[in-house]
Amino acid sequence: MSGWSESDVPECSEMTVVVTGANSGIGREATRALAARGATVVMAVRSVDRGRDAAEGIRDEIAERGTATPGKLDVRECDLADLESVASFADRVREDYDAVDVLANNAGVMAIPYAETAQGFEKQFGVNHVGHFALTEALLPLLAASDGEARVVTQSSGLHERGDIDFERVRPRTADPVDEPERGYDEWAAYGQSKLANVLFARELDHRLDDADVEGVTSTAVHPGYAATNLQKRGPEERGSVIRKYMMEVANAVFAQSAADGALPLLYAATAPDVAGGAYYGPGGFMNMRGSPERQEPSARALDDDLARRLWEASEEHTDISYEFDALAA
């Protein structure tokens, strides 16, 4: 695994890959790398216009690098902050594709001011976890229909280590809403919670697939280290904080690796032959912030099987979504 790089991504002309957040940052770089190897990439994006602009830019970059036969880029709307949008996206994908080989649950928001999704979930938890929980359930039959070993790759963060699951805060807002700012809403704690949920979900999904004898589908979690993307700037922009935005830009320029390098763990988990179900991959260099991907150990909370089960059950309860593993096995 040492020194694994984008050049090690195998030929992908027979693969169909769904990437959320494919128009920018790590999602865009993963999309480019996979399309350059011939994959059909369904670009699940909140803004179709930005998605189309990104697809055009990716095609130009691939052409400049001399790839003769790039894969197809299929831009489709999918707003992870609205479960109706997620369901509509999945319906259209099921209509147009017989199978999906990789689902990259990549999109996310980080450290934004308090906001809610269309269904009333705290937005970071709702986008980063709940939206992907719903999307994975909807596309799981297509993953099970893959001829090869299908992969679900869920993007987490090293900051999951600071996270914990507050089950009072992961439920959607009720008719008698709690004033979150008065409860001491901490955007970084909320982000850590959502990223811990990503690892717990990835591991629990793999366990449940195994327990139900669903063959040919593997679930893993990854993290990008410290990669320079637009993710770091969104929180300061939404607060109107010019100083914080400037500090993030300086930190990205000085300390961060590129978004292309940050995409390597995702690409590794999606395409490498020796990926283990339920595992966690990230950069193996300085403080796990940069470098080639390697298997790593997540936090003790992320390895808590009881916590993972409780989160899964809460996610099903609050979304009215139930995974039909037995039907997939049959």
Side-chain angles (χ1 to χ4, degrees):
M1 193 185 305
S2 177
W4 196 93
S5 69
E6 187 178 316
S7 64
D8 294 303
V9 175
E11 197 271 337
C12 300
S13 60
E14 300 299 317
M15 292 177 62
T16 297
V17 183
V18 176
V19 179
T20 65
N23 63 289
S24 66
I26 288 167
R28 184 188 187 281
E29 293 302 323
T31 296
R32 176 192 53 74
L34 292 165
R37 299 298 192 277
T40 294
V41 183
V42 182
M43 300 174 64
V45 297
R46 188 165 56 91
S47 167
V48 172
D49 288 342
R50 288 198 293 271
R52 288 173 178 161
D53 288 344
E56 183 178 352
I58 289 169
R59 292 187 189 102
D60 290 343
E61 289 179 32
I62 293 174
E64 289 174 3
R65 298 185 186 195
T67 301
T69 311
K72 174 185 174 184
L73 297 177
D74 182 2
V75 179
R76 303 200 176 198
E77 181 179 359
C78 181
D79 184 355
L80 291 163
D82 185 348
L83 296 182
E84 291 185 4
S85 175
V86 173
S88 178
F89 167 82
D91 286 343
R92 296 193 306 273
V93 172
R94 288 195 301 264
E95 288 173 1
D96 296 337
Y97 293 90
D98 295 327
V100 168
D101 301 289
V102 176
L103 169 59
N105 289 326
N106 165 77
V109 291
M110 183 177 78
I112 59 173
Y114 182 78
E116 295 175 356
T117 68
Q119 284 72 36
F121 292 95
E122 184 275 319
K123 195 165 187 177
Q124 294 189 81
F125 185 78
V127 170
N128 298 354
H129 169 64
V130 175
H132 286 126
F133 181 86
L135 179 61
T136 304
E137 186 276 333
L139 295 185
L140 204 52
L142 292 185
L143 289 154
S146 170
D147 288 336
E149 181 186 303
R151 311 264 177 97
V152 179
V153 183
T154 301
Q155 187 77 263
S156 182
S157 163
L159 290 177
H160 86 274
E161 296 178 3
R162 303 182 187 180
D164 200 357
I165 304 296
D166 181 347
F167 285 93
E168 292 301 314
R169 289 182 184 260
V170 301
R171 66 185 67 209
R173 176 176 53 81
T174 65
D176 184 21
V178 173
D179 188 338
E180 286 290 342
E182 288 187 4
R183 285 184 61 187
Y185 178 73
D186 183 323
E187 63 266 29
W188 285 106
Y191 180 70
Q193 173 175 257
S194 73
K195 293 289 103 179
L196 173 60
N198 290 150
V199 185
L200 291 168
F201 163 69
R203 295 184 66 254
E204 182 69 6
L205 174 60
D206 200 71
H207 289 163
R208 290 181 181 238
L209 288 166
D210 285 346
D211 289 345
D213 293 325
V214 179
E215 298 180 355
V217 184
T218 297
S219 171
T220 61
V222 299
H223 78 93
Y226 185 3
T229 70
N230 291 330
L231 194 67
Q232 292 94 344
K233 296 189 291 185
R234 181 169 175 181
E237 285 176 345
E238 291 195 7
R239 289 186 194 84
S241 175
V242 176
I243 293 175
R244 286 191 180 185
K245 180 180 177 182
Y246 173 75
M247 291 174 64
M248 285 292 188
E249 290 174 345
V250 170
N252 279 358
V254 175
F255 300 110
Q257 62 180 343
S258 67
D261 287 339
L264 290 178
L266 188 158
L267 291 169
Y268 182 86
T271 66
D274 56 347
V275 170
Y280 176 67
Y281 296 92
F286 178 69
M287 296 182 67
N288 299 136
M289 293 195 300
R290 59 176 63 241
S292 298
E294 66 174 17
R295 183 170 181 174
Q296 297 175 350
E297 191 82 349
S299 70
R301 287 193 186 98
L303 296 172
D304 186 331
D305 290 339
D306 182 62
L307 184 61
R309 177 190 56 78
R310 290 179 62 202
L311 175 65
W312 187 281
E313 292 173 353
S315 299
E316 288 192 328
E317 176 186 353
H318 298 322
T319 60
D320 289 326
I321 291 171
S322 180
Y323 280 60
E324 301 296 336
F325 292 105
D326 291 340
L328 290 173

